[in-house]
């Protein structure tokens, strides 16, 4: 892993810890996201997948609940990883993607249930955390 000094004086990027067991369960074992979330409730990617599946099936409130769960689990992990409430959360770090996807899913579902202020805050938080994630996930 390459470490670069931040020349702008802002906080260093935050990299969440990997959960190889959860990735293995999703990949090699082909377990459903709900099974992985039940075994690894702090694994935001499983919550993001549940949120996306629910949203695509028209279950917007369910999607909102899944996204909010994964978002809060991710915030807890960010704080434990040294994040101080702002700063980059790079999209290119695999373990960060679950949190960033939950943040986008929360924005999307909040918008769908007419929580416009929350949706705007979430989209802005995503853009501030990772412009790359924002570009990839803003639909």
């Amino acid at each position: 892993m390459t470490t670069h000094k931040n020349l702008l004086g802002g906080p260093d990027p935050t990299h969440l810890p990997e959960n190889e067991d959860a990735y293995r369960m999703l990949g090699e074992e082909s377990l459903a996201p709900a099974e992985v979330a039940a075994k690894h409730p702090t694994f935001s990617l499983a919550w993001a997948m549940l949120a996306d599946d629910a949203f695509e099936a028209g279950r917007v409130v369910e999607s909102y609940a899944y996204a909010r769960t994964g978002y809060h689990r991710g915030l807890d992990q960010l704080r434990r990883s040294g994040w101080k409430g702002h700063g980059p959360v790079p999209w290119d770090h695999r373990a960060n993607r679950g949190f960033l996807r939950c943040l986008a899913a929360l924005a999307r579902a909040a918008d769908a249930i007419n929580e416009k202020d929350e949706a705007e805050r979430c989209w802005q938080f995503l853009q501030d955390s990772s412009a790359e994630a924002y570009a990839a996930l803003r639909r």
Side-chain angles (χ1 to χ4, degrees):
M1 181 165 125
T2 305
T3 304
H4 301 282
K5 182 175 168 90
N6 184 339
L7 300 177
L8 299 176
D12 289 332
T14 302
H15 298 97
L16 294 175
E18 296 282 357
N19 185 332
E20 295 301 332
D21 190 47
Y23 288 116
R24 182 185 50 72
M25 293 169 102
L26 283 173
E28 293 171 27
E29 295 183 25
S30 299
L31 292 182
E35 294 176 89
V36 177
K39 293 176 192 278
H40 294 280
T42 62
F43 187 60
S44 291
L45 180 59
W47 296 105
M49 294 170 79
L50 288 166
D52 289 347
D53 290 348
F55 193 85
E56 289 170 16
R59 299 185 318 270
V60 178
V61 172
E62 186 178 324
S63 175
Y64 181 87
Y66 286 136
R68 182 161 285 290
T69 300
Y71 164 78
H72 281 289
R73 293 301 188 133
L75 281 179
D76 291 344
Q77 287 188 335
L78 281 170
R79 290 181 183 115
R80 283 193 298 274
S81 296
W83 185 75
K84 302 291 186 214
H86 68 285
V89 181
W91 175 249
D92 64 356
H93 180 67
R94 178 177 75 158
N96 289 352
R97 287 188 174 207
F99 168 74
L100 295 167
R101 283 182 56 185
C102 281
L103 185 53
L106 183 58
R108 183 182 62 230
D111 189 53
I113 63 171
N114 210 28
E115 285 283 344
K116 302 299 184 195
D117 289 343
E118 181 177 25
E120 288 176 24
R121 282 191 308 273
C122 289
W123 285 125
Q124 187 63 55
F125 184 10
L126 181 64
Q127 188 171 31
D128 292 346
S129 298
S130 172
E132 188 178 5
Y134 181 83
L137 299 171
R138 182 76 197 244
R139 320 177 206 155

